[in-house]
Coordinates of all heavy atoms in Angstrom, one line a residue:
M24 N -2.3 -22.0 5.5 CA -3.1 -21.3 4.4 C -2.2 -21.2 3.2 O -1.0 -20.7 3.3 CB -3.5 -20.0 4.9 CG -4.5 -19.3 3.9 SD -5.1 -17.7 4.6 CE -3.8 -16.6 4.0
T25 N -2.6 -21.6 2.1 CA -1.8 -21.5 0.9 C -2.1 -20.2 0.2 O -3.3 -19.8 0.1 CB -2.1 -22.6 -0.1 OG1 -3.5 -22.7 -0.4 CG2 -1.5 -23.9 0.3
A26 N -1.1 -19.5 -0.2 CA -1.3 -18.2 -0.8 C -1.6 -18.4 -2.3 O -1.1 -19.2 -2.9 CB 0.0 -17.4 -0.7
E27 N -2.5 -17.5 -2.7 CA -2.8 -17.5 -4.2 C -2.5 -16.2 -4.7 O -2.7 -15.1 -4.1 CB -4.3 -17.8 -4.4 CG -4.6 -19.2 -4.3 CD -6.1 -19.5 -4.7 OE1 -6.4 -19.0 -5.8 OE2 -6.8 -20.1 -4.0
F28 N -2.0 -16.2 -5.9 CA -1.5 -14.9 -6.5 C -2.2 -14.7 -7.9 O -2.5 -15.7 -8.6 CB 0.0 -14.9 -6.7 CG 0.7 -15.0 -5.4 CD1 1.1 -16.2 -4.9 CD2 1.0 -13.8 -4.7 CE1 1.8 -16.3 -3.6 CE2 1.7 -13.9 -3.5 CZ 2.1 -15.1 -3.0
V29 N -2.5 -13.5 -8.2 CA -3.1 -13.1 -9.4 C -2.0 -12.2 -10.1 O -1.5 -11.3 -9.5 CB -4.4 -12.3 -9.2 CG1 -4.9 -11.7 -10.5 CG2 -5.4 -13.2 -8.6
V30 N -1.8 -12.5 -11.4 CA -0.9 -11.7 -12.2 C -1.7 -10.9 -13.2 O -2.5 -11.4 -14.0 CB 0.1 -12.6 -12.9 CG1 1.1 -11.7 -13.8 CG2 0.9 -13.5 -12.0
E31 N -1.5 -9.6 -13.1 CA -2.2 -8.7 -14.0 C -1.2 -8.1 -15.0 O -0.2 -7.5 -14.6 CB -2.9 -7.6 -13.2 CG -4.0 -6.9 -13.9 CD -4.7 -5.9 -13.0 OE1 -5.7 -6.4 -12.3 OE2 -4.3 -4.8 -12.9
I32 N -1.6 -8.2 -16.3 CA -0.7 -7.6 -17.3 C -1.5 -6.4 -17.9 O -2.6 -6.5 -18.3 CB -0.5 -8.6 -18.5 CG1 0.0 -9.9 -18.0 CG2 0.4 -8.0 -19.5 CD1 1.4 -10.1 -17.6
D33 N -0.8 -5.2 -17.8 CA -1.4 -4.0 -18.5 C -1.1 -4.1 -19.9 O 0.0 -3.7 -20.4 CB -0.8 -2.8 -17.8 CG -1.4 -1.5 -18.4 OD1 -2.1 -1.6 -19.4 OD2 -1.2 -0.4 -17.8
E34 N -2.0 -4.7 -20.7 CA -1.7 -5.0 -22.1 C -1.3 -3.8 -22.9 O -0.6 -4.0 -23.9 CB -2.9 -5.8 -22.7 CG -4.2 -5.0 -22.7 CD -5.4 -5.9 -22.9 OE1 -5.5 -6.9 -22.1 OE2 -6.2 -5.6 -23.7
K35 N -1.9 -2.7 -22.6 CA -1.5 -1.5 -23.4 C -0.1 -1.1 -23.3 O 0.5 -0.5 -24.2 CB -2.5 -0.3 -23.0 CG -3.9 -0.5 -23.4 CD -4.7 0.8 -23.4 CE -6.2 0.5 -23.5 NZ -6.8 0.1 -22.2
R36 N 0.5 -1.3 -22.1 CA 1.9 -1.0 -21.9 C 2.9 -2.0 -22.5 O 4.0 -1.8 -22.7 CB 2.2 -0.9 -20.4 CG 1.5 0.1 -19.6 CD 2.0 0.2 -18.2 NE 3.2 0.9 -18.1 CZ 3.4 2.1 -17.6 NH1 2.3 2.7 -17.2 NH2 4.5 2.6 -17.6
C37 N 2.4 -3.2 -22.7 CA 3.2 -4.4 -23.1 C 3.8 -4.2 -24.5 O 3.0 -3.8 -25.4 CB 2.4 -5.6 -23.0 SG 3.3 -7.1 -23.6
K38 N 5.1 -4.6 -24.6 CA 5.6 -4.5 -26.0 C 5.9 -5.9 -26.5 O 6.7 -6.1 -27.5 CB 6.9 -3.7 -26.0 CG 6.6 -2.2 -25.6 CD 7.6 -1.3 -26.4 CE 7.3 0.1 -26.1 NZ 7.6 0.5 -24.8
G39 N 5.4 -6.9 -25.8 CA 5.5 -8.3 -26.3 C 6.9 -8.9 -26.3 O 7.1 -9.8 -27.1
C40 N 7.8 -8.4 -25.5 CA 9.2 -8.9 -25.5 C 9.3 -10.3 -24.9 O 10.3 -11.0 -25.2 CB 10.1 -8.0 -24.7 SG 9.7 -8.0 -22.9
A41 N 8.3 -10.8 -24.2 CA 8.3 -12.1 -23.6 C 9.4 -12.3 -22.5 O 9.6 -13.5 -22.2 CB 8.4 -13.2 -24.6
I42 N 10.0 -11.3 -22.0 CA 10.9 -11.4 -20.9 C 10.2 -12.1 -19.7 O 10.8 -13.0 -19.0 CB 11.6 -10.1 -20.5 CG1 12.5 -9.6 -21.6 CG2 12.3 -10.2 -19.2 CD1 13.1 -8.2 -21.4
C43 N 9.0 -11.6 -19.4 CA 8.3 -12.1 -18.2 C 8.1 -13.6 -18.4 O 8.1 -14.4 -17.4 CB 7.0 -11.4 -18.0 SG 5.9 -11.4 -19.5
V44 N 7.8 -14.1 -19.6 CA 7.5 -15.5 -19.9 C 8.8 -16.3 -19.6 O 8.8 -17.3 -19.0 CB 7.1 -15.7 -21.4 CG1 7.0 -17.2 -21.7 CG2 5.8 -15.0 -21.6
A45 N 9.9 -15.7 -20.1 CA 11.2 -16.4 -19.9 C 11.7 -16.5 -18.5 O 12.3 -17.5 -18.1 CB 12.3 -15.7 -20.8
V46 N 11.5 -15.4 -17.7 CA 12.0 -15.4 -16.3 C 11.2 -16.2 -15.3 O 11.7 -16.4 -14.2 CB 12.3 -14.0 -15.8 CG1 13.3 -13.3 -16.7 CG2 11.0 -13.2 -15.7
C47 N 10.0 -16.5 -15.6 CA 9.1 -17.1 -14.6 C 9.6 -18.5 -14.3 O 9.7 -19.4 -15.2 CB 7.7 -17.2 -15.1 SG 6.6 -18.1 -13.9
P48 N 10.0 -18.8 -13.1 CA 10.5 -20.1 -12.7 C 9.5 -21.2 -12.8 O 9.8 -22.4 -12.8 CB 11.1 -19.9 -11.3 CG 10.4 -18.7 -10.8 CD 10.0 -17.9 -11.9
K49 N 8.2 -20.8 -12.8 CA 7.2 -21.8 -12.8 C 6.4 -21.9 -14.1 O 5.4 -22.5 -14.2 CB 6.2 -21.5 -11.7 CG 6.8 -21.4 -10.3 CD 7.1 -22.7 -9.7 CE 5.9 -23.3 -9.0 NZ 6.3 -24.6 -8.4
Q50 N 7.0 -21.2 -15.1 CA 6.3 -21.2 -16.5 C 4.8 -20.9 -16.4 O 4.0 -21.5 -17.0 CB 6.5 -22.6 -17.2 CG 7.9 -22.8 -17.7 CD 8.8 -23.4 -16.6 OE1 8.4 -24.4 -15.9 NE2 10.0 -22.9 -16.4
C51 N 4.5 -19.8 -15.7 CA 3.1 -19.4 -15.4 C 2.6 -18.6 -16.6 O 1.3 -18.5 -16.7 CB 3.0 -18.6 -14.2 SG 3.4 -19.4 -12.7
L52 N 3.4 -18.0 -17.3 CA 2.9 -17.0 -18.3 C 3.1 -17.5 -19.7 O 4.1 -18.3 -20.0 CB 3.7 -15.7 -18.2 CG 3.5 -15.0 -16.8 CD1 4.6 -13.9 -16.6 CD2 2.1 -14.4 -16.6
A53 N 2.2 -17.1 -20.6 CA 2.4 -17.5 -22.0 C 1.9 -16.3 -22.9 O 0.9 -15.6 -22.5 CB 1.6 -18.7 -22.3
I54 N 2.5 -16.1 -24.0 CA 2.1 -15.1 -25.0 C 0.8 -15.6 -25.6 O 0.6 -16.8 -25.9 CB 3.1 -14.9 -26.1 CG1 4.4 -14.3 -25.5 CG2 2.6 -13.9 -27.2 CD1 4.3 -12.8 -25.0
Q55 N -0.2 -14.7 -25.7 CA -1.5 -15.1 -26.2 C -1.7 -14.8 -27.7 O -0.8 -14.2 -28.3 CB -2.6 -14.2 -25.4 CG -2.5 -14.3 -23.9 CD -2.8 -15.8 -23.5 OE1 -3.8 -16.3 -23.6 NE2 -1.7 -16.4 -22.9
D56 N -2.8 -15.2 -28.2 CA -3.1 -14.9 -29.7 C -3.6 -13.5 -29.9 O -3.7 -13.1 -31.0 CB -4.1 -15.9 -30.2 CG -3.6 -17.3 -30.2 OD1 -2.4 -17.5 -30.3 OD2 -4.4 -18.3 -30.2
N57 N -3.9 -12.8 -28.8 CA -4.5 -11.5 -29.0 C -3.4 -10.4 -29.0 O -2.4 -10.6 -28.3 CB -5.4 -11.1 -27.9 CG -6.6 -12.1 -27.8 OD1 -7.0 -12.6 -28.8 ND2 -7.0 -12.5 -26.6
Y58 N -3.6 -9.4 -29.7 CA -2.6 -8.3 -29.7 C -3.2 -7.0 -29.2 O -4.4 -6.8 -29.3 CB -1.8 -8.1 -31.0 CG -2.7 -8.0 -32.2 CD1 -3.3 -6.8 -32.6 CD2 -3.0 -9.2 -32.9 CE1 -4.1 -6.7 -33.7 CE2 -3.8 -9.1 -34.1 CZ -4.4 -7.9 -34.5 OH -5.2 -7.8 -35.5
N59 N -2.4 -6.1 -28.7 CA -2.9 -4.8 -28.2 C -3.0 -3.8 -29.3 O -2.6 -4.1 -30.4 CB -2.0 -4.4 -27.0 CG -0.6 -4.0 -27.4 OD1 -0.3 -3.8 -28.6 ND2 0.3 -3.9 -26.5
P60 N -3.5 -2.6 -29.0 CA -3.6 -1.6 -30.0 C -2.4 -1.2 -30.8 O -2.4 -0.7 -31.9 CB -4.2 -0.4 -29.3 CG -4.8 -1.0 -28.0 CD -4.0 -2.1 -27.7
S61 N -1.2 -1.5 -30.1 CA 0.1 -1.2 -30.8 C 0.5 -2.4 -31.7 O 1.6 -2.3 -32.3 CB 1.2 -0.9 -29.8 OG 0.8 0.2 -29.0
G62 N -0.2 -3.5 -31.6 CA 0.2 -4.6 -32.5 C 1.1 -5.6 -31.8 O 1.6 -6.5 -32.4
Y63 N 1.3 -5.5 -30.5 CA 2.1 -6.4 -29.8 C 1.3 -7.5 -29.1 O 0.3 -7.3 -28.5 CB 2.9 -5.7 -28.7 CG 3.8 -4.6 -29.2 CD1 3.6 -3.3 -28.8 CD2 4.9 -5.0 -30.0 CE1 4.5 -2.3 -29.3 CE2 5.8 -4.0 -30.4 CZ 5.6 -2.7 -30.1 OH 6.4 -1.7 -30.6
F64 N 1.8 -8.8 -29.3 CA 1.1 -9.9 -28.6 C 1.6 -9.9 -27.2 O 2.8 -9.9 -26.9 CB 1.5 -11.2 -29.3 CG 0.9 -11.3 -30.7 CD1 1.6 -10.8 -31.8 CD2 -0.3 -12.0 -30.9 CE1 1.0 -11.0 -33.1 CE2 -0.9 -12.1 -32.1 CZ -0.2 -11.6 -33.3
Y65 N 0.6 -9.9 -26.3 CA 0.9 -9.8 -24.9 C 0.7 -11.1 -24.1 O -0.1 -12.0 -24.6 CB 0.1 -8.7 -24.2 CG -1.4 -8.8 -24.5 CD1 -2.2 -9.5 -23.6 CD2 -2.0 -8.1 -25.5 CE1 -3.5 -9.6 -23.8 CE2 -3.3 -8.2 -25.7 CZ -4.1 -8.9 -24.9 OH -5.4 -9.0 -25.1
P66 N 1.3 -11.3 -23.0 CA 1.2 -12.5 -22.2 C 0.0 -12.5 -21.3 O -0.6 -11.5 -21.0 CB 2.5 -12.6 -21.5 CG 2.8 -11.2 -21.2 CD 2.3 -10.4 -22.4
A67 N -0.4 -13.7 -20.8 CA -1.4 -13.8 -19.7 C -1.0 -15.0 -18.9 O -0.2 -15.8 -19.3 CB -2.7 -14.0 -20.3
L68 N -1.6 -15.1 -17.7 CA -1.3 -16.2 -16.8 C -2.0 -17.4 -17.4 O -3.2 -17.3 -17.8 CB -2.0 -15.9 -15.4 CG -1.5 -16.6 -14.2 CD1 0.0 -16.3 -13.9 CD2 -2.4 -16.3 -13.0
K69 N -1.3 -18.5 -17.4 CA -1.9 -19.8 -17.9 C -3.0 -20.2 -16.9 O -2.9 -20.0 -15.7 CB -0.8 -20.9 -18.0 CG 0.2 -20.6 -19.1 CD 1.1 -21.8 -19.1 CE 2.4 -21.6 -19.8 NZ 3.4 -22.7 -19.6
P70 N -4.0 -20.9 -17.4 CA -5.1 -21.3 -16.6 C -4.7 -22.2 -15.4 O -5.2 -22.1 -14.3 CB -6.0 -22.1 -17.5 CG -5.7 -21.7 -18.9 CD -4.2 -21.2 -18.9
D71 N -3.7 -23.0 -15.6 CA -3.2 -24.0 -14.6 C -2.0 -23.5 -13.9 O -1.2 -24.2 -13.3 CB -3.0 -25.4 -15.2 CG -1.9 -25.3 -16.3 OD1 -1.6 -24.2 -16.8 OD2 -1.4 -26.3 -16.7
A72 N -1.7 -22.2 -14.0 CA -0.5 -21.6 -13.4 C -0.4 -21.8 -11.9 O -1.4 -21.7 -11.2 CB -0.4 -20.1 -13.8
D73 N 0.9 -22.0 -11.5 CA 1.1 -22.1 -10.0 C 2.1 -21.0 -9.6 O 3.2 -21.3 -9.2 CB 1.7 -23.5 -9.8 CG 1.9 -23.8 -8.3 OD1 1.3 -23.2 -7.5 OD2 2.8 -24.7 -8.0
C74 N 1.6 -19.8 -9.7 CA 2.4 -18.6 -9.4 C 2.7 -18.6 -7.9 O 1.9 -18.8 -7.0 CB 1.6 -17.4 -9.8 SG 2.4 -15.8 -9.3
T75 N 4.0 -18.4 -7.6 CA 4.5 -18.3 -6.2 C 4.6 -16.9 -5.7 O 5.0 -16.7 -4.5 CB 5.9 -19.0 -6.1 OG1 6.8 -18.2 -6.9 CG2 5.8 -20.4 -6.5
G76 N 4.3 -15.9 -6.6 CA 4.4 -14.5 -6.1 C 5.8 -14.1 -6.0 O 6.1 -13.1 -5.3
C77 N 6.8 -14.7 -6.7 CA 8.2 -14.4 -6.5 C 8.5 -13.0 -7.0 O 9.5 -12.4 -6.6 CB 9.1 -15.4 -7.2 SG 9.0 -15.3 -9.0
G78 N 7.7 -12.5 -8.0 CA 7.9 -11.1 -8.4 C 8.9 -10.9 -9.5 O 9.2 -9.8 -9.9
A79 N 9.5 -12.0 -10.0 CA 10.5 -11.8 -11.1 C 9.9 -11.2 -12.3 O 10.6 -10.3 -12.9 CB 11.1 -13.2 -11.4
C80 N 8.7 -11.5 -12.7 CA 8.1 -11.0 -13.9 C 7.9 -9.5 -13.7 O 8.1 -8.7 -14.6 CB 6.8 -11.7 -14.2 SG 5.6 -11.7 -12.8
V81 N 7.5 -9.1 -12.5 CA 7.3 -7.7 -12.2 C 8.6 -6.9 -12.3 O 8.6 -5.8 -12.9 CB 6.7 -7.5 -10.8 CG1 6.5 -6.0 -10.4 CG2 5.4 -8.3 -10.6
K82 N 9.6 -7.4 -11.7 CA 10.9 -6.7 -11.6 C 11.5 -6.6 -13.0 O 12.2 -5.6 -13.3 CB 11.9 -7.4 -10.7 CG 11.5 -7.2 -9.2 CD 12.6 -7.8 -8.3 CE 12.0 -8.1 -7.0 NZ 12.1 -9.5 -6.5
L83 N 11.4 -7.6 -13.9 CA 12.1 -7.6 -15.1 C 11.4 -7.1 -16.3 O 11.9 -6.9 -17.4 CB 12.7 -9.0 -15.3 CG 13.8 -9.3 -14.3 CD1 14.1 -10.8 -14.3 CD2 15.0 -8.6 -14.7
C84 N 10.1 -6.8 -16.2 CA 9.4 -6.2 -17.3 C 9.9 -4.8 -17.5 O 9.8 -3.9 -16.7 CB 7.9 -6.2 -17.0 SG 7.0 -5.3 -18.3
P85 N 10.4 -4.6 -18.7 CA 11.0 -3.2 -19.0 C 9.9 -2.1 -19.1 O 10.3 -1.0 -19.1 CB 11.8 -3.4 -20.3 CG 11.3 -4.7 -20.9 CD 10.6 -5.5 -19.8
D86 N 8.7 -2.5 -19.3 CA 7.6 -1.6 -19.5 C 6.7 -1.4 -18.3 O 5.6 -0.8 -18.4 CB 6.9 -1.9 -20.8 CG 7.8 -1.7 -22.0 OD1 8.0 -0.6 -22.4 OD2 8.4 -2.7 -22.5
F87 N 7.1 -2.0 -17.2 CA 6.2 -1.9 -15.9 C 4.8 -2.3 -16.2 O 3.9 -1.6 -15.7 CB 6.3 -0.4 -15.4 CG 7.7 0.0 -15.2 CD1 8.3 0.9 -16.1 CD2 8.5 -0.4 -14.1 CE1 9.6 1.3 -15.9 CE2 9.8 0.0 -13.9 CZ 10.4 0.9 -14.8
A88 N 4.6 -3.3 -16.9 CA 3.3 -3.8 -17.3 C 2.7 -4.9 -16.5 O 1.6 -5.3 -16.6 CB 3.3 -4.2 -18.8
V89 N 3.6 -5.4 -15.5 CA 3.1 -6.6 -14.7 C 2.9 -6.2 -13.3 O 3.8 -5.5 -12.7 CB 4.1 -7.7 -14.8 CG1 3.5 -9.0 -14.2 CG2 4.5 -8.0 -16.3
T90 N 1.8 -6.6 -12.7 CA 1.5 -6.5 -11.3 C 1.1 -7.8 -10.7 O 0.4 -8.5 -11.4 CB 0.4 -5.5 -11.0 OG1 0.6 -4.3 -11.8 CG2 0.3 -5.1 -9.6
V91 N 1.6 -8.2 -9.5 CA 1.2 -9.4 -8.9 C 0.5 -9.1 -7.6 O 1.0 -8.3 -6.8 CB 2.4 -10.3 -8.6 CG1 2.0 -11.6 -7.9 CG2 3.1 -10.7 -10.0
Y92 N -0.6 -9.7 -7.4 CA -1.4 -9.5 -6.2 C -1.5 -10.8 -5.4 O -1.7 -11.8 -6.1 CB -2.9 -9.0 -6.5 CG -3.0 -7.8 -7.3 CD1 -3.2 -7.8 -8.6 CD2 -2.9 -6.5 -6.6 CE1 -3.4 -6.6 -9.3 CE2 -3.1 -5.4 -7.3 CZ -3.3 -5.4 -8.7 OH -3.5 -4.3 -9.4
E93 N -1.5 -10.7 -4.1 CA -1.8 -11.9 -3.3 C -3.2 -11.8 -2.9 O -3.7 -10.8 -2.4 CB -0.9 -11.9 -2.1 CG -1.2 -13.2 -1.2 CD -0.2 -13.3 -0.1 OE1 0.7 -12.5 0.1 OE2 -0.4 -14.3 0.7
L94 N -3.9 -12.9 -3.1 CA -5.3 -13.0 -2.7 C -5.3 -13.5 -1.2 O -4.7 -14.5 -0.9 CB -6.1 -14.1 -3.5 CG -6.3 -13.7 -5.0 CD1 -7.1 -14.8 -5.7 CD2 -7.0 -12.4 -5.2
L95 N -6.0 -12.7 -0.4 CA -6.0 -13.0 1.0 C -7.4 -13.7 1.3 O -8.4 -13.1 1.0 CB -5.8 -11.8 1.9 CG -4.5 -11.1 1.7 CD1 -4.4 -9.8 2.5 CD2 -3.3 -12.0 2.1
E96 N -7.3 -14.8 2.0 CA -8.5 -15.5 2.4 C -9.2 -14.8 3.6 O -8.5 -14.4 4.5 CB -8.2 -16.9 2.8 CG -9.0 -18.0 2.1 CD -8.5 -19.3 2.5 OE1 -8.9 -19.8 3.6 OE2 -7.7 -19.9 1.7
Q97 N -10.5 -14.6 3.5 CA -11.2 -14.0 4.7 C -11.4 -15.0 5.7 O -11.8 -16.1 5.5 CB -12.6 -13.5 4.2 CG -12.5 -12.4 3.2 CD -12.2 -11.0 3.8 OE1 -12.5 -10.8 5.0 NE2 -11.6 -10.1 3.0
A98 N -11.0 -14.6 7.0 CA -11.3 -15.6 8.1 C -12.8 -15.7 8.3 O -13.5 -14.7 8.2 CB -10.5 -15.1 9.3
G99 N -13.2 -16.9 8.7 CA -14.6 -17.1 9.0 C -15.4 -17.2 7.8 O -16.6 -17.1 7.9
Ligands
SF4_7 S1 5.4 -13.8 -9.7 FE1 7.0 -15.3 -10.2 S2 5.9 -17.3 -10.3 FE2 4.4 -15.6 -10.5 S3 4.2 -15.3 -12.7 FE3 5.7 -13.8 -11.9 S4 7.7 -14.8 -12.2 FE4 6.1 -16.4 -12.4
SF4_8 S1 8.1 -8.4 -19.9 FE1 6.5 -6.8 -19.9 S2 6.6 -5.9 -22.0 FE2 7.6 -7.9 -22.1 S3 6.0 -9.3 -22.7 FE3 6.1 -9.3 -20.5 S4 4.5 -7.8 -19.9 FE4 5.0 -7.4 -22.0

């Protein structure tokens, strides 16, 4: 079974530093054209992203704005 991961960015916490974009070994994240209420451009998972769930983006975000979830397949 291949694991699938979802990366959630809490855009209101994000300060647009792009550390998460820089540390992702699979280049899964990209800063978007949209900005949050504080005026910071925040990242999102790219549509063709191949996230491995390594957690680097979660650990290195200084604003605790990133969460990674593993999607579990239902048996049967
Ligand atoms: S969990 Fe790892 S592979 Fe997935 S987006 Fe974050 S840094 Fe990239
Ligand atoms: S590391 Fe955190 S604060 Fe910086 S751009 Fe990514 S989500 Fe935003």
Side-chain angles (χ1 to χ4, degrees):
M24 187 176 92
T25 51
E27 278 189 52
F28 296 91
V29 173
V30 180
E31 198 174 270
I32 310 282
D33 183 346
E34 59 198 50
K35 291 198 193 76
R36 297 184 77 106
C37 175
K38 295 214 177 69
C40 67
I42 289 174
C43 55
V44 175
V46 298
C47 177
K49 304 286 272 180
Q50 288 85 45
C51 292
L52 299 165
I54 296 289
Q55 305 297 295
D56 291 337
N57 301 325
Y58 50 86
N59 67 14
S61 303
Y63 297 116
F64 290 88
Y65 53 87
L68 200 65
K69 292 183 196 169
D71 58 347
D73 185 21
C74 173
T75 62
C77 72
C80 54
V81 177
K82 288 188 199 121
L83 290 165
C84 173
D86 292 283
F87 307 102
V89 189
T90 311
V91 176
Y92 300 99
E93 181 175 356
L94 294 180
L95 297 175
E96 230 173 81
Q97 295 284 332

